[in-house]
Short mmCIF file of all heavy atoms in Angstrom, two decimals:
data_model
loop_
_atom_site.label_atom_id
_atom_site.label_comp_id
_atom_site.label_asym_id
_atom_site.label_seq_id
_atom_site.Cartn_x
_atom_site.Cartn_y
_atom_site.Cartn_z
N GLY A 11 111.40 120.76 107.42
CA GLY A 11 110.64 119.54 107.16
C GLY A 11 111.34 118.59 106.21
O GLY A 11 112.56 118.60 106.07
N LEU A 12 110.53 117.79 105.54
CA LEU A 12 111.01 116.77 104.62
C LEU A 12 110.49 117.02 103.22
O LEU A 12 109.34 117.45 103.05
CB LEU A 12 110.53 115.38 105.06
CG LEU A 12 111.07 114.85 106.37
CD1 LEU A 12 110.21 113.70 106.87
CD2 LEU A 12 112.50 114.39 106.18
N THR A 13 111.32 116.71 102.24
CA THR A 13 110.88 116.70 100.85
C THR A 13 111.05 115.27 100.36
O THR A 13 112.15 114.73 100.41
CB THR A 13 111.71 117.66 99.98
OG1 THR A 13 111.62 118.97 100.53
CG2 THR A 13 111.21 117.66 98.55
N VAL A 14 109.96 114.66 99.93
CA VAL A 14 109.98 113.28 99.44
C VAL A 14 109.79 113.34 97.92
O VAL A 14 108.74 113.77 97.44
CB VAL A 14 108.88 112.44 100.09
CG1 VAL A 14 108.89 111.02 99.56
CG2 VAL A 14 109.03 112.45 101.61
N VAL A 15 110.82 112.92 97.19
CA VAL A 15 110.78 112.91 95.74
C VAL A 15 110.64 111.46 95.29
O VAL A 15 111.57 110.67 95.45
CB VAL A 15 112.05 113.54 95.13
CG1 VAL A 15 111.98 113.52 93.60
CG2 VAL A 15 112.23 114.96 95.63
N ASN A 16 109.48 111.11 94.77
CA ASN A 16 109.22 109.80 94.20
C ASN A 16 109.18 109.96 92.68
O ASN A 16 109.28 111.08 92.18
CB ASN A 16 107.92 109.23 94.76
CG ASN A 16 108.09 108.74 96.19
OD1 ASN A 16 109.18 108.34 96.60
ND2 ASN A 16 107.02 108.76 96.96
N PRO A 17 109.04 108.88 91.91
CA PRO A 17 109.18 109.02 90.45
C PRO A 17 108.32 110.10 89.81
O PRO A 17 108.81 110.87 89.00
CB PRO A 17 108.80 107.63 89.93
CG PRO A 17 109.18 106.72 91.01
CD PRO A 17 108.89 107.47 92.29
N PHE A 18 107.07 110.19 90.15
CA PHE A 18 106.20 111.13 89.46
C PHE A 18 105.54 112.14 90.37
O PHE A 18 104.63 112.86 89.95
CB PHE A 18 105.15 110.37 88.64
CG PHE A 18 105.78 109.50 87.59
CD1 PHE A 18 105.90 108.14 87.77
CD2 PHE A 18 106.31 110.06 86.44
CE1 PHE A 18 106.51 107.34 86.82
CE2 PHE A 18 106.93 109.28 85.48
CZ PHE A 18 107.03 107.92 85.67
N ARG A 19 106.00 112.22 91.62
CA ARG A 19 105.41 113.19 92.55
C ARG A 19 106.44 113.61 93.58
O ARG A 19 107.16 112.78 94.13
CB ARG A 19 104.21 112.57 93.25
CG ARG A 19 103.50 113.57 94.12
CD ARG A 19 102.16 113.08 94.59
NE ARG A 19 101.54 114.14 95.36
CZ ARG A 19 100.62 113.93 96.26
NH1 ARG A 19 100.20 112.71 96.51
NH2 ARG A 19 100.10 114.93 96.93
N THR A 20 106.47 114.89 93.85
CA THR A 20 107.30 115.44 94.91
C THR A 20 106.37 116.02 95.96
O THR A 20 105.43 116.75 95.62
CB THR A 20 108.22 116.54 94.36
OG1 THR A 20 109.08 115.96 93.37
CG2 THR A 20 109.06 117.16 95.47
N ARG A 21 106.62 115.69 97.20
CA ARG A 21 105.75 116.16 98.28
C ARG A 21 106.60 116.79 99.37
O ARG A 21 107.57 116.20 99.82
CB ARG A 21 104.93 115.00 98.84
CG ARG A 21 104.00 115.42 99.93
CD ARG A 21 102.61 114.89 99.74
NE ARG A 21 101.78 115.35 100.85
CZ ARG A 21 100.99 114.57 101.54
NH1 ARG A 21 100.89 113.29 101.24
NH2 ARG A 21 100.27 115.06 102.52
N ARG A 22 106.22 117.97 99.80
CA ARG A 22 106.89 118.69 100.88
C ARG A 22 106.08 118.49 102.15
O ARG A 22 104.87 118.72 102.17
CB ARG A 22 106.99 120.17 100.52
CG ARG A 22 107.64 121.00 101.55
CD ARG A 22 109.13 120.77 101.58
NE ARG A 22 109.67 121.54 102.70
CZ ARG A 22 110.77 121.24 103.32
NH1 ARG A 22 111.50 120.23 102.94
NH2 ARG A 22 111.19 121.97 104.32
N LEU A 23 106.74 118.04 103.22
CA LEU A 23 106.08 117.81 104.50
C LEU A 23 106.72 118.67 105.58
O LEU A 23 107.95 118.69 105.69
CB LEU A 23 106.22 116.34 104.92
CG LEU A 23 105.68 115.28 103.97
CD1 LEU A 23 106.14 113.90 104.41
CD2 LEU A 23 104.17 115.35 103.92
N ALA A 24 105.92 119.35 106.35
CA ALA A 24 106.43 120.03 107.55
C ALA A 24 106.67 118.95 108.60
O ALA A 24 106.02 117.89 108.59
CB ALA A 24 105.41 121.05 108.05
N TRP A 25 107.60 119.19 109.50
CA TRP A 25 107.90 118.19 110.53
C TRP A 25 106.65 117.82 111.33
O TRP A 25 106.46 116.66 111.68
CB TRP A 25 108.99 118.69 111.47
CG TRP A 25 110.36 118.64 110.86
CD1 TRP A 25 111.16 119.70 110.55
CD2 TRP A 25 111.10 117.47 110.49
NE1 TRP A 25 112.33 119.27 110.01
CE2 TRP A 25 112.32 117.89 109.97
CE3 TRP A 25 110.83 116.10 110.55
CZ2 TRP A 25 113.29 117.00 109.51
CZ3 TRP A 25 111.79 115.22 110.09
CH2 TRP A 25 113.00 115.67 109.59
N ALA A 26 105.79 118.79 111.58
CA ALA A 26 104.59 118.52 112.37
C ALA A 26 103.62 117.56 111.67
O ALA A 26 102.79 116.94 112.32
CB ALA A 26 103.88 119.83 112.71
N GLU A 27 103.72 117.43 110.35
CA GLU A 27 102.85 116.52 109.62
C GLU A 27 103.25 115.06 109.77
O GLU A 27 102.45 114.17 109.52
CB GLU A 27 102.86 116.86 108.13
CG GLU A 27 102.23 118.17 107.77
CD GLU A 27 102.32 118.41 106.28
OE1 GLU A 27 101.55 117.77 105.53
OE2 GLU A 27 103.16 119.22 105.86
N VAL A 28 104.50 114.82 110.15
CA VAL A 28 105.02 113.46 110.21
C VAL A 28 104.80 112.89 111.61
O VAL A 28 105.38 113.37 112.58
CB VAL A 28 106.51 113.42 109.84
CG1 VAL A 28 107.03 111.99 109.88
CG2 VAL A 28 106.74 114.04 108.47
N VAL A 29 103.97 111.87 111.70
CA VAL A 29 103.69 111.23 112.98
C VAL A 29 104.71 110.15 113.27
O VAL A 29 105.21 110.02 114.38
CB VAL A 29 102.26 110.64 112.99
CG1 VAL A 29 101.99 109.87 114.27
CG2 VAL A 29 101.23 111.74 112.79
N ASN A 30 105.04 109.34 112.26
CA ASN A 30 105.96 108.23 112.45
C ASN A 30 106.52 107.82 111.10
O ASN A 30 105.96 108.16 110.06
CB ASN A 30 105.23 107.06 113.11
CG ASN A 30 106.18 106.02 113.69
OD1 ASN A 30 107.37 106.26 113.82
ND2 ASN A 30 105.64 104.87 114.04
N VAL A 31 107.60 107.07 111.13
CA VAL A 31 108.16 106.47 109.92
C VAL A 31 108.48 105.02 110.24
O VAL A 31 109.04 104.71 111.29
CB VAL A 31 109.39 107.25 109.41
CG1 VAL A 31 110.52 107.28 110.42
CG2 VAL A 31 109.88 106.67 108.08
N THR A 32 108.05 104.12 109.34
CA THR A 32 108.27 102.69 109.57
C THR A 32 108.88 102.05 108.33
O THR A 32 108.68 102.52 107.20
CB THR A 32 106.95 101.96 109.90
OG1 THR A 32 106.03 102.16 108.82
CG2 THR A 32 106.35 102.46 111.19
N MET A 33 109.61 100.97 108.57
CA MET A 33 110.15 100.16 107.48
C MET A 33 110.31 98.75 108.03
O MET A 33 111.33 98.42 108.63
CB MET A 33 111.48 100.71 106.98
CG MET A 33 112.01 100.03 105.76
SD MET A 33 113.47 100.92 105.17
CE MET A 33 113.91 99.89 103.80
N ASN A 34 109.26 97.95 107.86
CA ASN A 34 109.26 96.60 108.37
C ASN A 34 110.09 95.68 107.47
O ASN A 34 110.35 96.01 106.31
CB ASN A 34 107.83 96.07 108.48
CG ASN A 34 107.01 96.92 109.42
OD1 ASN A 34 107.47 97.32 110.48
ND2 ASN A 34 105.79 97.23 109.01
N ALA A 35 110.46 94.53 107.99
CA ALA A 35 111.19 93.55 107.20
C ALA A 35 110.37 93.20 105.96
O ALA A 35 109.17 92.94 106.05
CB ALA A 35 111.46 92.30 108.03
N GLY A 36 111.00 93.24 104.82
CA GLY A 36 110.31 92.95 103.57
C GLY A 36 109.76 94.16 102.86
O GLY A 36 109.37 94.08 101.69
N ASP A 37 109.69 95.30 103.55
CA ASP A 37 109.22 96.53 102.89
C ASP A 37 110.31 97.03 101.95
O ASP A 37 111.49 97.06 102.31
CB ASP A 37 108.92 97.63 103.92
CG ASP A 37 107.65 97.37 104.70
OD1 ASP A 37 106.90 96.45 104.34
OD2 ASP A 37 107.41 98.11 105.68
N PRO A 38 109.94 97.49 100.75
CA PRO A 38 110.95 97.99 99.82
C PRO A 38 111.52 99.35 100.19
O PRO A 38 112.63 99.69 99.82
CB PRO A 38 110.22 98.04 98.49
CG PRO A 38 108.78 98.16 98.85
CD PRO A 38 108.61 97.45 100.17
N TRP A 39 110.76 100.14 100.93
CA TRP A 39 111.20 101.48 101.34
C TRP A 39 110.37 101.93 102.54
O TRP A 39 109.34 101.35 102.86
CB TRP A 39 111.06 102.49 100.20
CG TRP A 39 109.82 102.32 99.38
CD1 TRP A 39 108.55 102.63 99.75
CD2 TRP A 39 109.73 101.77 98.07
NE1 TRP A 39 107.68 102.32 98.74
CE2 TRP A 39 108.38 101.79 97.70
CE3 TRP A 39 110.67 101.29 97.16
CZ2 TRP A 39 107.94 101.33 96.46
CZ3 TRP A 39 110.22 100.84 95.94
CH2 TRP A 39 108.88 100.85 95.60
N PRO A 40 110.80 103.01 103.22
CA PRO A 40 110.07 103.49 104.40
C PRO A 40 108.71 104.08 104.04
O PRO A 40 108.48 104.52 102.91
CB PRO A 40 110.97 104.59 104.96
CG PRO A 40 112.27 104.46 104.29
CD PRO A 40 112.04 103.75 103.01
N THR A 41 107.84 104.09 105.03
CA THR A 41 106.51 104.69 104.88
C THR A 41 106.31 105.69 106.02
O THR A 41 106.52 105.37 107.18
CB THR A 41 105.42 103.61 104.95
OG1 THR A 41 105.66 102.66 103.92
CG2 THR A 41 104.04 104.21 104.77
N PHE A 42 105.91 106.91 105.64
CA PHE A 42 105.60 107.93 106.63
C PHE A 42 104.13 107.84 107.00
O PHE A 42 103.27 107.75 106.12
CB PHE A 42 105.86 109.34 106.08
CG PHE A 42 107.31 109.64 105.86
CD1 PHE A 42 107.85 109.64 104.59
CD2 PHE A 42 108.13 109.94 106.93
CE1 PHE A 42 109.18 109.92 104.38
CE2 PHE A 42 109.48 110.22 106.74
CZ PHE A 42 110.00 110.21 105.46
N ASP A 43 103.83 107.85 108.30
CA ASP A 43 102.46 108.00 108.78
C ASP A 43 102.27 109.49 109.01
O ASP A 43 103.02 110.11 109.77
CB ASP A 43 102.25 107.22 110.07
CG ASP A 43 102.39 105.73 109.87
OD1 ASP A 43 101.95 105.23 108.82
OD2 ASP A 43 102.94 105.06 110.76
N LEU A 44 101.26 110.05 108.38
CA LEU A 44 101.06 111.49 108.43
C LEU A 44 99.92 111.86 109.37
O LEU A 44 99.04 111.05 109.65
CB LEU A 44 100.80 112.03 107.02
CG LEU A 44 101.89 111.70 105.99
CD1 LEU A 44 101.51 112.24 104.63
CD2 LEU A 44 103.25 112.21 106.44
N ALA A 45 99.94 113.09 109.83
CA ALA A 45 98.96 113.57 110.81
C ALA A 45 97.53 113.53 110.27
O ALA A 45 96.59 113.40 111.05
CB ALA A 45 99.32 114.99 111.24
N ASP A 46 97.35 113.60 108.96
CA ASP A 46 96.00 113.57 108.40
C ASP A 46 95.46 112.14 108.23
O ASP A 46 94.40 111.94 107.66
CB ASP A 46 95.94 114.33 107.08
CG ASP A 46 96.79 113.70 105.99
OD1 ASP A 46 97.41 112.64 106.22
OD2 ASP A 46 96.83 114.27 104.87
N GLY A 47 96.21 111.14 108.70
CA GLY A 47 95.76 109.76 108.65
C GLY A 47 96.20 109.00 107.40
O GLY A 47 95.91 107.82 107.26
N THR A 48 96.90 109.68 106.49
CA THR A 48 97.39 109.02 105.28
C THR A 48 98.82 108.55 105.47
O THR A 48 99.46 108.85 106.48
CB THR A 48 97.32 109.97 104.06
OG1 THR A 48 98.17 111.09 104.31
CG2 THR A 48 95.88 110.43 103.82
#
């Protein structure tokens, strides 16, 4: 899976939890869409 380390939180994601990843023009960084809707 993926390990996302942000400044004050580290989150481990299994591959099955990741639905999509997006980074639109103007976004400062990518955003993961997760299976739980978050």
Side-chain angles (χ1 to χ4, degrees):
L12 294 163
T13 303
V14 179
V15 180
N16 285 332
F18 298 103
R19 185 168 183 204
T20 299
R21 180 132 180 228
R22 180 74 185 155
L23 302 169
W25 284 114
E27 292 179 75
V28 181
V29 175
N30 196 13
V31 60
T32 58
M33 187 173 178
N34 300 318
D37 287 351
W39 40 73
T41 302
F42 292 104
D43 295 322
L44 304 178
D46 64 2
T48 62

